[in-house]
């Protein structure tokens, strides 16, 4: 076997090994979701499954570092673990535990951000990569890390450029504008939702709430009535 053949075999071997890790990770994730839906998953088991799936994707990424799908899935899996850690952080009042959890959350947030960025860097023309990146950033904002709101908005704008008819992107963007106290941009973004889907109830309710804050009570009433119909 020549050098080119050896390289091809080596690449194939790495791809096969990476695929095996992915299959195992997705199996673990599917089992976890099923047990969670059946209310048969303890918090410690949930954590263990998330860590296992995250580590498996980590191994897959090492073996196939140019695969944007692996980076995308890794960011989504690890973001679930960040959410779990944040839940535990909010449940404890023990200062030492809170500090340990905060340190662990910080570490895994860096992984989430890096993996989602790697996916879009490798293949910026794929909508799913930008959708996952915006989703992971939005989750971080939902955990109170508002510093990621601008990054989330940028990712959503890139996702919308590739999938302009996805009205939920505009709705999610409007929520982020609200986080940034930019109600004007939020209402303008919601108008894009109504152009695509004028009956989107969450957007109508949010628009009604924003119109109320702005003092336009007659417009707010119209939004609320449309949401009920």
């Amino acid at each position: 076997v020549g050098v080119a053949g050896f390289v091809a075999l080596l690449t194939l071997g790495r791809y096969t090994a990476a695929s095996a890790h992915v299959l195992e990770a997705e199996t673990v994730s599917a089992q976890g979701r099923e047990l969670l839906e059946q209310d048969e998953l303890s918090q410690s088991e949930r954590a263990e499954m998330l860590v296992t799936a995250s580590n498996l994707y980590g191994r897959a990424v090492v073996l196939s570092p140019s695969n944007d799908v692996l980076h995308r899935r890794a960011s989504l899996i690890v973001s679930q673990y960040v959410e779990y850690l944040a839940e535990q952080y909010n449940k404890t009042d023990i200062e030492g535990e809170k500090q340990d959890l905060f340190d662990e959350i910080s570490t895994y947030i860096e992984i989430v951000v890096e993996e989602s960025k790697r996916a879009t860097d490798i293949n910026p023309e794929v909508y799913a990569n930008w959708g996952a990146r915006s989703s992971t950033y939005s989750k971080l904002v939902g955990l109170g890390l508002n510093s990621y709101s601008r990054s989330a908005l940028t990712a959503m704008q890139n996702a919308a450029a590739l999938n302009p008819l996805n009205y939920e992107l505009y709705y999610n963007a409007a929520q982020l504008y609200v986080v940034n106290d930019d109600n004007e941009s939020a209402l303008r973004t919601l108008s894009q939702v109504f152009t695509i889907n004028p009956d989107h109830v969450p957007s109508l309710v949010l628009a009604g709430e924003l119109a109320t804050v702005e003092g336009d009570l007659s417009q707010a009433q119209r939004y609320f009535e449309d949401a009920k119909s």
Side-chain angles (χ1 to χ4, degrees):
V1 179
V3 173
F6 176 77
V7 171
L9 287 172
L10 182 61
T11 301
L12 178 61
R14 288 179 175 174
Y15 178 80
T16 301
S19 298
H21 290 317
V22 169
L23 179 59
E24 187 177 353
E26 290 299 330
T27 300
V28 170
S29 296
Q31 290 173 343
R33 287 193 298 271
E34 183 177 351
L35 290 171
L36 191 62
E37 290 173 0
Q38 297 172 355
D39 199 24
E40 297 178 356
L41 189 67
S42 69
Q43 289 301 306
S44 60
E45 289 171 334
R46 178 186 170 200
E48 183 180 352
M49 292 183 117
L50 287 171
V51 169
T52 298
S54 297
N55 288 339
L56 286 166
Y57 262 105
R59 294 171 196 164
V61 164
V62 169
L63 291 168
S64 188
S66 298
N67 189 317
D68 59 301
V69 176
L70 298 186
H71 289 287
R72 182 175 75 233
R73 285 294 299 152
S75 72
L76 293 171
I77 292 291
V78 177
S79 69
Q80 291 180 42
Y81 186 54
V82 170
E83 288 180 300
Y84 165 80
L85 292 173
E87 291 171 12
Q88 302 312 303
Y89 178 89
N90 291 328
K91 287 179 180 178
T92 183
D93 294 322
I94 302 174
E95 200 57 40
E97 288 184 4
K98 290 184 83 72
Q99 185 60 53
D100 289 343
L101 285 165
F102 179 83
D103 292 341
E104 193 170 3
I105 288 169
S106 299
T107 297
Y108 279 97
I109 282 175
E110 291 181 7
I111 296 172
V112 168
V113 171
E114 178 61 25
E115 291 301 319
S116 64
K117 184 176 183 298
R118 284 288 294 147
T120 55
D121 286 348
I122 293 169
N123 203 338
E125 301 303 319
V126 173
Y127 161 75
N129 288 342
W130 287 108
R133 187 169 175 179
S134 66
S135 175
T136 53
Y137 284 153
S138 295
K139 285 181 179 180
L140 296 179
V141 174
L143 295 175
L145 301 170
N146 293 349
S147 60
Y148 287 99
S149 60
R150 290 297 176 188
S151 298
L153 283 167
T154 299
M156 285 178 188
Q157 289 164 0
N158 283 303
L162 295 168
N163 188 1
L165 296 182
N166 187 340
Y167 55 85
E168 290 189 354
L169 283 172
Y170 303 112
Y171 169 65
N172 292 336
Q175 292 179 299
L176 289 170
Y177 280 122
V178 171
V179 169
N180 289 324
D181 295 320
D182 188 354
N183 292 353
E184 182 179 349
S185 294
L187 282 167
R188 186 169 60 249
T189 304
L190 288 172
S191 69
Q192 294 177 276
V193 175
F194 302 139
T195 299
I196 302 167
N197 183 1
D199 301 320
H200 187 238
V201 173
S203 292
L204 289 167
V205 171
L206 179 57
E209 292 172 346
L210 292 173
T212 300
V213 171
E214 296 297 313
D216 191 347
L217 300 183
S218 60
Q219 181 61 62
Q221 184 63 31
R222 284 192 289 272
Y223 281 131
F224 290 135
E225 288 177 355
D226 288 343
K228 291 178 182 177
S229 61

